[in-house]
Amino acid sequence: MSSSPVLSSRFWRLALAAVFAVVAITACDQQNIVELEEGVSTEADVRERFGAPEAVWDGADGDQIYEYNRQPEGYQNYQITIGADGKMSALRQVLNPDNFARVEVGMPMETVRKMLGKPMKITTYELKGETHYDWRYHDGPNTSDSKIFTVVFDRDYHAVSTGSVPDPALLRGQ
């Protein structure tokens, strides 16, 4: 059974549009990051460049942590800390091996979620009593360095294991 040339053309146009969107977001993020300065930029500056955060977490000493998620298409989750004085005190890309190493067996799902941001995918395996949270990230400078970090949670949403594998999209040529 062969596919229609129209459908094939539409698929490639949609695929290219998705790639351009990811590249545009990444380029915009880099420009926005350069324009912000820790200890100087205000909450208003952050919101002007990044928009409304997807989530806001309470931090230490009255800080607020803004989450800017780039999953599932992107490879970053940014957390921007706004101090009690209303100024940006930190801007971090949290999807990296150092943060992954901080995830410990027994850690509650909410703690992991606050550390790493929203996952790209959540899969529940009822029969096994497990829920897998997956994050896409780059473990190097090249697209071929794309990986998936997974945290496996038990029925009570406590971490039981973690691991990284090459991104399956690489194997499919996407």
Side-chain angles (χ1 to χ4, degrees), residues 94-107:
V94 296
L95 299 180
N96 59 66
D98 290 338
N99 262 0
F100 300 152
R102 294 178 41 219
V103 177
E104 299 175 0
V105 169
M107 191 174 275

Side-chain angles (χ1 to χ4, degrees), residues 15 22 35 57 61 69 80 82 91 105 149 161-162 167-168 172-174:
V22 169
E35 293 174 359
W57 311 103
D61 302 321
N69 173 34
I80 300 176
I82 305 296
L91 189 157
V105 169
F149 177 72
S161 67
T162 66
D167 188 344
R172 293 189 301 268
Q174 296 177 336

Side-chain angles (χ1 to χ4, degrees), residues 28-96:
C28 287
D29 282 346
Q30 293 308 311
Q31 180 62 37
N32 290 333
I33 290 168
V34 167
E35 293 174 359
L36 295 172
E37 186 177 349
E38 291 179 6
V40 175
S41 298
T42 64
E43 174 187 1
D45 295 331
V46 169
R47 286 178 178 266
E48 181 181 318
R49 284 164 184 77
F50 279 88
E54 183 163 334
V56 178
W57 311 103
D58 289 330
D61 302 321
D63 292 350
Q64 289 193 317
I65 301 164
Y66 289 10
E67 178 184 317
Y68 292 95
N69 173 34
R70 300 302 185 240
Q71 303 285 300
E73 291 85 12
Y75 297 88
Q76 298 85 16
N77 278 349
Y78 297 103
Q79 291 185 355
I80 300 176
T81 304
I82 305 296
D85 63 356
K87 297 202 175 170
M88 182 184 84
S89 60
L91 189 157
R92 304 178 297 132
Q93 196 293 101
V94 296
L95 299 180
N96 59 66

